[in-house]
Amino acid sequence: QVQLVESGGGLVQPGESLRLSCAASGTIFSRSNMGWYRQAPGEQRKLVAFLTRGGTTTYADSVRGRFTIFRDNSKNLVYLQMNSLKPEDTAVYYCYTNSGVSYWGQGTQVTVSS
């Protein structure tokens, strides 16, 4: 069974940085497309960053230039490096994979507030 477990969320001030991690099990990680999504209260879950198994990246316009998605296939980990955080980035962040069937992590809270 595919399991995705996020970690690294927390409370930070505007302008600071966080790195989220997602540990994947139950899947051939190096062959998996991975993504990060976020959902703010009362809003729909939306794509933040996506990384194919071939290395192609996609970013939401709101985070491009500030966030970076990358993976370590030897450790079955995908990361989201978040720099220059803004209050608008406050949300629950979810790790995602799709290899024919979608799987989601449990989410990790990121709060950006002064």
Side-chain angles (χ1 to χ4, degrees):
Q1 184 177 3
V2 174
Q3 298 281 350
L4 303 174
V5 180
E6 304 98 331
S7 61
L11 173 64
V12 297
Q13 294 183 325
E16 295 184 342
S17 299
L18 279 176
R19 179 177 291 182
L20 305 182
S21 300
C22 174
S25 62
T27 184
I28 303 176
F29 184 77
S30 62
R31 299 182 183 179
S32 301
N33 300 320
M34 305 296 300
W36 287 96
Y37 290 68
R38 68 187 183 188
Q39 186 171 19
E43 299 184 3
Q44 188 175 359
R45 188 177 301 182
K46 293 184 176 181
L47 175 71
V48 176
F50 196 81
L51 176 62
T52 72
R53 62 186 178 92
T56 301
T57 58
T58 302
Y59 295 97
D61 289 342
S62 59
V63 308
R64 188 176 294 109
R66 299 187 297 119
F67 291 10
T68 303
I69 185 171
F70 60 101
R71 66 201 297 164
D72 185 343
N73 286 338
S74 69
K75 299 179 179 179
N76 287 4
L77 291 173
V78 62
Y79 302 93
L80 184 67
Q81 178 66 44
M82 304 184 294
N83 297 328
S84 301
L85 282 162
K86 304 175 180 180
E88 306 92 88
D89 298 318
T90 296
V92 177
Y93 284 70
Y94 296 90
C95 186
Y96 165 88
T97 188
N98 189 317
S99 299
V101 178
S102 296
Y103 295 94
W104 297 90
Q106 83 287 348
T108 185
Q109 177 71 46
V110 173
T111 302
V112 185
S113 180
S114 59

